[in-house]
Amino acid sequence: MKGRLLSMALISALITVGPALTLFGQDINLDALLERNENQIRPTATEGDMKMIIVNKAGQERVREIKAYSKTEADDTTKQSLIFLSPADVRDTRFLTIDYKDPAKDDEQYIYIPALRKVRTIGTSGGESKTGAFLGSDFTFADIGALDRKDFSVKLLGSDTMDGIKYAKVEYTAKSPQVIKNYGYSKIVRWINLENATTKQSEYYDASGKLVKRLVIQNQRLVDGKYWQFDTMEMQNLETGGKTIWQFVKTTILPTIDDKYFTVRFIERGR
Amino acid sequence: MNRNVQHSIKRGFSVLLMGLALLLGIALGAQAQDLKLSGTVIPSAFAIPSQDPALVFAGLRGTGALEGYFGDAVSYRFSAETYLNGAGLAESSSWESSTDTRLLSASLWGNNRLGGTVELKEAWVEASLGGLDLRLGKQLAAWGLADGNNPTDTINARHQGTRYTTTLDEQKIASWMLNGTYYLPNNLGTLQALLLPVSIPNDLPSIAMTILAGPTTINIKDDAYPDVSLGNMEGGLRSLWYLGNLSVSGSYFTYLDRYPDFVVTTTGFPIPTTITYTPVHNRIHQFGLDAAYAIAGYDIRSEWALSLTKDMEGSSPSEKNPYLQGVLQMSRSFINSTTTLSLAWAPRYVLNYKAPEDYASPSDQQAATMLRQYDGQAYQWENGLSLRLAGKYLNETLQPELLFLAETSAKDWLGTASVSYQLADGISLKGGTVQYGSFLPEGDANRNLGTFSKSTTIDRDYYYIEVKLSF
């Protein structure tokens, strides 16, 4: 009797846990984890000061100071504008990106180039221009934008532990050659925190399957009891030996922000 | 340097400095926010090996700008530009100074060469009223969605062949204008209107000369500014639309030709004893259309300008015919977008074209023969074909560029090569060369009909090096 009850309990547990349960006893529900990862609660609005430090193989640094504004709309559309404050070579270069949650709408990216005194749009639905380096850094324009899960086949590789914290190792494989062209990667492997569903690390593989970049996020913390933020994001370029570090020097969470910061006019005028 | 020259220079600089100090005082006194001082200092050298002396420019180019805001609704910018050339001045035995009240500049000439100039380049104030920005003052404007070759970008005149510079901003001459831009909601685009009360033509090398042709003396007078009058005002409208991957704009601009036509007067009959060519800037009505589209990794840009001139019928040999000018560019990037290859076709079609022999009178034929070297309308069809290869390597610190452009009717070509390297933040080193050539044999008179192969350019291949310090 006792044995039958145990078997029935085990079968019931197997049915209710979900489709991601593996034979190795890992209790990871991949769909749920990815949902939480992609839908992290974001502040309605933020204003921040950042530094982008580009380090070459020889250890020489170039530092860019950036002012950033962000907004998350009720429909989860995210808007971000970046204003480069220094050094003089890139000062007044301004960047606007709008990522729509609605898959029917193309994302928008604009850049104001002071030397030309013009705003240019950056190819939104495809095109190698998005795989180009973002202002000389090891991030591409595609890296700055959002990853769309529908462009990838997603697979759980297993779990991993780093600094005593457990992560799910998730592989995103490009579904088509066009997706590889759009993002510049054939595969991305992410380490996602099992407890809070934040991304700790990502590894990027080029079209030939070679590991070319690694993104590491450091000093994550919970702010106001609900928002996960981090101090540093480091993109290591494994091909060149260089890296780019984004430091979030100061981030202020705002209850609201004027929509004017996310317009072509703002990046053209700077105000 | 004589005392009068010294006095003129001092007066010119004093005026400029007092003006800047006054503006700075106003800005500070009004508790302006975000006051920003910026600029560049560019020591550079240009050499033309075929000339004697070969070194034609060794000196400083520089800019300084002061800009700020009064709250969010009002902004301003004042910038000055300098161009100081020490090459050849050690041998100067004659000095001249000049001031230009239209450009707000003061210049010093030694041995008929520009030794230095200081100009208040930009001086404008902008007020924002809802979605409308109104900018008033001396300013630069940029039209056109194509890269590098913008047929519709005729708002500002340029220094053409009078200065050794490497940036578009340095080539452009700021104009006095009222510039109103309305930003459409949801980043749909802009509507822009311009009003320019003062016309400024291109700054060209002097064309004044006297030619003795048998019994006839031909005088070509130097160019001059058009009068400031209601009839000489300029203005335009442009609408620009952002439609996802497609950007498109349409424009209209009416202005006085930046290059001169000529009024021809003769004395003496039946054989003229004197023929005088007086430069004049006739009105052009320019209709523009341009677009940029990104698809499947290709960046496609096109820009077209239909210019309707005073001589719509093409009956005068000394006035330009109407013409259509355009460019179609296709670019693609490779190797993680570090390397970009661009191909372009840039045609120019002259409406109601007449070859010199098509004119009825010998004097018109003579005028047409002489002027076709200068008016850019020697051929009814001219096709420019170009190839550009540009790279951004080592986190964009190293940027080489190669450009080759050929014209199929004139059978001439232009080649440029440059490399810039970012030594540190705010410091870059750049070197390059510009080469002119012709596919026509040496001695062929048609070489003078080309853009790059005429006698004033073909032997002026030059090399340059500069260090740009930005603050």
Side-chain angles (χ1 to χ4, degrees):
Chain A
M1 179 68 171
K2 217 177 185 179
R4 277 184 70 186
L5 280 172
L6 195 59
S7 298
M8 283 175 67
L10 185 59
I11 291 167
S12 300
L14 284 169
I15 291 169
T16 54
V17 165
L21 182 66
T22 71
L23 293 177
F24 298 100
Q26 298 178 59
D27 52 350
I28 301 170
N29 183 322
L30 183 60
D31 285 339
L33 183 68
L34 294 180
E35 273 298 308
R36 287 173 60 209
N37 174 259
E38 291 160 12
N39 296 294
Q40 292 280 337
I41 298 174
R42 293 191 197 90
T44 305
T46 64
E47 179 181 335
D49 298 319
M50 300 193 289
K51 275 188 186 173
M52 184 168 80
I53 305 167
I54 304 169
V55 187
N56 67 13
K57 190 172 156 184
Q60 293 164 324
E61 291 185 356
R62 290 186 294 147
V63 181
R64 276 108 179 80
E65 293 183 342
I66 301 162
K67 186 80 180 173
Y69 301 92
S70 76
K71 181 176 188 178
T72 305
E73 303 281 13
D75 64 355
D76 276 343
T77 295
T78 57
K79 300 176 180 179
Q80 189 173 47
S81 59
L82 303 175
I83 298 101
F84 282 73
L85 304 174
S86 72
D89 310 279
V90 296
R91 182 172 52 225
D92 293 335
T93 302
R94 303 181 199 114
F95 180 67
L96 169 65
T97 180
I98 301 175
D99 290 325
Y100 293 102
K101 192 74 175 176
D102 180 357
K105 285 173 110 173
D106 280 333
D107 296 341
E108 298 171 32
Q109 284 187 333
Y110 307 87
I111 185 165
Y112 172 71
I113 303 170
L116 300 179
R117 297 173 187 258
K118 291 179 185 175
V119 169
R120 287 179 73 133
T121 57
I122 297 163
T124 51
S125 57
E128 279 204 33
S129 55
K130 287 197 83 176
T131 62
F134 180 69
L135 291 172
S137 74
D138 296 292
F139 289 87
T140 64
F141 286 96
D143 294 338
I144 301 293
L147 190 78
D148 197 339
R149 202 190 339 160
K150 71 170 169 38
D151 293 329
F152 297 86
S153 302
V154 185
K155 185 171 82 178
L156 179 68
L157 296 179
S159 64
D160 200 356
T161 303
M162 288 193 284
D163 298 325
I165 298 171
K166 229 175 171 186
Y167 299 91
K169 208 168 151 185
V170 182
E171 180 185 83
Y172 295 71
T173 305
K175 278 183 179 173
S176 67
Q178 186 57 47
V179 171
I180 297 175
K181 269 193 180 174
N182 292 351
Y183 290 91
Y185 310 115
S186 61
K187 183 172 75 175
I188 300 167
V189 177
R190 278 187 168 170
W191 278 253
I192 300 175
N193 187 310
L194 284 172
E195 190 176 320
N196 59 34
T198 59
T199 303
K200 169 66 177 173
Q201 181 172 296
S202 298
E203 287 184 344
Y204 301 84
Y205 295 77
D206 66 11
S208 68
K210 179 182 159 197
L211 175 63
V212 290
K213 293 199 295 194
R214 181 182 295 119
L215 175 69
V216 180
I217 299 191
Q218 291 161 349
N219 300 330
Q220 287 172 310
R221 63 189 183 286
L222 193 64
V223 173
D224 288 354
K226 50 184 172 178
Y227 307 119
W228 283 100
Q229 290 187 356
F230 45 87
D231 287 343
T232 309
M233 193 164 68
E234 180 176 305
M235 180 70 89
Q236 301 162 358
N237 192 320
L238 303 174
E239 284 188 301
T240 65
K243 63 184 175 184
T244 299
I245 304 164
W246 280 82
Q247 282 181 354
F248 297 84
V249 175
K250 179 183 167 193
T251 303
T252 306
I253 295 174
L254 305 168
T256 184
I257 190 169
D258 196 322
D259 227 24
K260 73 172 188 183
Y261 290 99
F262 311 103
T263 60
V264 167
R265 183 191 192 188
F266 176 75
I267 63 170
E268 200 157 18
R269 286 186 78 234
R271 199 76 171 194
Chain B
M1 193 184 302
N2 64 49
R3 281 187 185 172
N4 285 338
V5 169
Q6 285 179 329
H7 181 67
S8 296
I9 295 167
K10 284 182 184 172
R11 196 171 64 180
F13 276 103
S14 297
V15 168
L16 282 174
L17 285 172
M18 274 176 11
L20 279 171
L22 180 64
L23 293 165
L24 178 58
I26 291 170
L28 292 173
Q31 296 181 342
Q33 300 171 17
D34 296 337
L35 194 66
K36 200 164 58 179
L37 187 64
S38 63
T40 56
V41 177
I42 311 174
S44 52
F46 287 71
I48 301 177
S50 62
Q51 280 199 181
D52 182 25
L55 190 64
V56 294
F57 179 90
L60 277 179
R61 293 142 48 208
T63 61
L66 182 71
E67 54 193 323
Y69 301 88
F70 294 102
D72 284 345
V74 177
S75 61
Y76 59 88
R77 178 178 166 90
F78 301 97
S79 72
E81 187 174 81
T82 64
Y83 181 88
L84 303 171
N85 183 5
L89 290 184
E91 302 163 5
S92 288
S93 58
S94 64
W95 295 90
E96 288 175 25
S97 70
S98 64
T99 55
D100 189 319
T101 53
R102 205 172 282 202
L103 298 187
L104 297 184
S105 67
S107 301
L108 180 66
W109 301 79
N111 288 349
N112 294 318
R113 281 209 294 196
L114 179 62
T117 186
V118 176
E119 178 187 331
L120 183 61
K121 182 134 182 169
E122 293 175 278
W124 53 258
V125 176
E126 182 175 88
S128 296
L129 310 162
L132 176 66
D133 293 334
L134 287 171
R135 183 177 291 185
L136 176 66
K138 197 165 183 266
Q139 57 190 281
L140 295 172
W143 278 8
L145 292 168
D147 271 340
N149 181 350
N150 298 104
T152 65
D153 194 19
T154 49
I155 297 153
N156 296 111
R158 304 189 187 200
H159 298 287
Q160 294 275 38
T162 52
R163 294 190 186 185
Y164 294 94
T165 59
T166 57
T167 66
L168 182 59
D169 257 18
E170 287 177 291
Q171 288 170 21
K172 281 190 169 183
I173 301 171
S175 299
W176 295 96
M177 69 176 92
L178 175 62
N179 177 349
T181 304
Y182 177 72
Y183 289 84
L184 298 168
N186 299 317
N187 296 323
L188 203 52
T190 59
L191 300 172
Q192 185 179 26
L194 304 175
L195 183 65
L196 291 78
V198 178
S199 177
I200 299 175
N202 286 338
D203 171 30
L204 301 170
S206 173
I207 54 172
M209 66 175 84
T210 300
I211 305 166
L212 296 173
T216 305
T217 300
I218 300 172
N219 290 319
I220 302 177
K221 288 189 163 181
D222 224 338
D223 199 4
Y225 283 137
D227 293 336
V228 177
S229 67
L230 276 178
N232 284 346
M233 287 177 72
E234 304 176 339
L237 298 167
R238 182 183 187 221
S239 73
L240 168 62
W241 301 84
Y242 299 118
L243 306 168
N245 282 347
L246 174 69
S247 299
V248 64
S249 89
S251 62
Y252 167 72
F253 186 51
T254 176
Y255 65 106
L256 300 187
D257 197 347
R258 303 301 182 216
Y259 293 94
D261 287 331
F262 293 88
V263 169
V264 184
T265 51
T266 59
T267 55
F269 184 82
I271 296 170
T273 51
T274 310
I275 302 176
T276 303
Y277 292 84
T278 305
V280 63
H281 294 272
N282 290 317
R283 184 163 292 278
I284 288 182
H285 298 275
Q286 174 189 288
F287 296 86
L289 199 60
D290 48 320
Y293 189 50
I295 183 167
Y298 292 92
D299 188 86
I300 301 169
R301 294 177 182 270
S302 192
E303 188 171 327
W304 299 85
L306 174 64
S307 299
L308 304 181
T309 60
K310 182 180 175 226
D311 184 20
M312 287 293 292
E313 302 302 319
S315 55
S316 169
S318 61
E319 293 174 343
K320 289 185 209 63
N321 289 21
Y323 56 97
L324 175 68
Q325 189 174 344
V327 64
L328 177 62
Q329 303 168 329
M330 189 162 70
S331 302
R332 186 168 173 84
S333 297
F334 305 88
I335 317 171
N336 292 328
S337 298
T338 57
T339 308
T340 301
L341 177 67
S342 303
L343 299 173
W345 168 55
R348 192 168 64 243
Y349 178 73
V350 178
L351 282 72
N352 300 324
Y353 173 82
K354 270 196 174 113
E357 56 270 21
D358 296 332
Y359 288 93
S361 72
S363 59
D364 279 355
Q365 290 174 6
Q366 185 183 47
T369 301
M370 190 173 80
L371 291 174
R372 69 204 297 246
Q373 300 175 50
Y374 304 107
D375 65 7
Q377 298 195 339
Y379 301 98
Q380 183 173 27
W381 261 113
E382 182 57 270
N383 289 286
L385 301 170
S386 72
L387 183 149
R388 177 175 170 266
L389 191 62
K392 292 182 178 181
Y393 308 112
L394 306 177
N395 292 109
E396 295 189 6
T397 56
L398 183 68
Q399 298 191 22
E401 182 178 301
L402 291 172
L403 169 72
F404 183 78
L405 167 65
E407 296 188 321
T408 59
S409 294
K411 295 183 175 62
D412 62 349
W413 58 265
L414 166 79
T416 73
S418 69
V419 176
S420 71
Y421 181 66
Q422 196 80 26
L423 295 168
D425 281 340
I427 308 174
S428 66
L429 174 69
K430 183 174 180 181
T433 179
V434 175
Q435 303 282 317
Y436 304 100
S438 177
F439 297 112
L440 297 172
E442 204 167 330
D444 190 322
N446 285 333
R447 275 191 166 198
N448 267 328
L449 302 181
T451 307
F452 312 119
S453 60
K454 52 168 57 63
S455 57
T456 51
T457 49
I458 198 162
D459 292 322
R460 293 178 68 86
D461 302 339
Y462 66 88
Y463 301 80
Y464 64 91
I465 187 164
E466 63 184 28
V467 175
K468 186 175 179 182
L469 310 164
S470 306
F471 61 90

